Amino acid sequence: MAAPGSRRARRDVDPLEAPKGLPRGRRRPTGRDVLGRFSESFARAMGTSAFLIGLTVFVAIWLIWNALAPEQAQFDPVSNGFAVMTLILSLQASYAAPLILLAQNRQDDRDRVQVEQDRQRAERNLDDTEYLAREIVALRLLVRDMASQDFVRSELKALLEELDRREVAREAEAASAEEQDEPRREPDRRAARP
C-alpha cells in the first residue's frame, strides 16, 4: 500500500500532472489542458444529434444553393464538383478524428485513475471487513465462554441445596450431640441432689 503522502495515496489525482505547490482547484491551465478541454468539448458536441442535424442542414443548403442559384451567385458551382464543400468536410474530418482520439485518451487517463482509486478503496474495505470478522469471532468466543442465565440459576440452586443440606446436617449433629450430653448430665444432677 502506498504511503499517505505519495501520489498513489491521493484521491484527487488529476490525470495530468498539476504544477507542484499549487492547490488543485487554483492551478494554471497549461496548453495541454486547454487543448484537452477543447478536444473533449469538441468530441462531446460532435456526438450529439444537434450536430448531425446541423451538419445535414448546412450541406443541404450548400448543395441546393449551388445547384439552383444563378451562376453569378454560386460560390461552389456544380461544374467544379462542389470542390469547396469537399475541402471543408475533409478538413472537418481530418481535425475531428485526432481531437476525438485526444478526448478518448484523456478519458482513459481519468478511468485509469478512477480504477486505481476504486482498487485502493476495495483494499481498505477488505481490510475493514477482515478486521470486523476477526472482532466478531473474538466476541463469539467470549460469549461462548460466558455463563448463560440458565447455567447461573442452576448453579445457584445447587449451592442453595448444598447449603440447606449442610444446615440440616449441622442441626442433626447438634441435636445428636445434645442427646449424648444429656444422659451424662442427668447422673451428675442426681448425684448433686442428696
Side-chain angles (χ1 to χ4, degrees), residues 172-192:
E173 282 179 17
S176 68
E178 283 181 16
E179 287 177 9
Q180 289 175 359
D181 284 345
E182 275 184 28
R184 287 184 199 160
R185 288 181 190 169
E186 285 180 14
D188 291 341
R189 286 183 201 161
R190 289 181 195 154

Side-chain angles (χ1 to χ4, degrees), residues 4 9-10 23 27 49-50 52 56 62 64-67 107 113 122 124 154 171 173 178-179 190:
R10 289 181 47 207
R27 63 187 175 116
S49 58
L52 292 174
T56 303
W62 185 289
I64 291 170
W65 178 267
N66 287 304
Q107 185 61 43
V113 168
R124 284 193 306 271
S154 66
E171 289 175 2
E173 282 179 17
E178 283 181 16
E179 287 177 9
R190 289 181 195 154

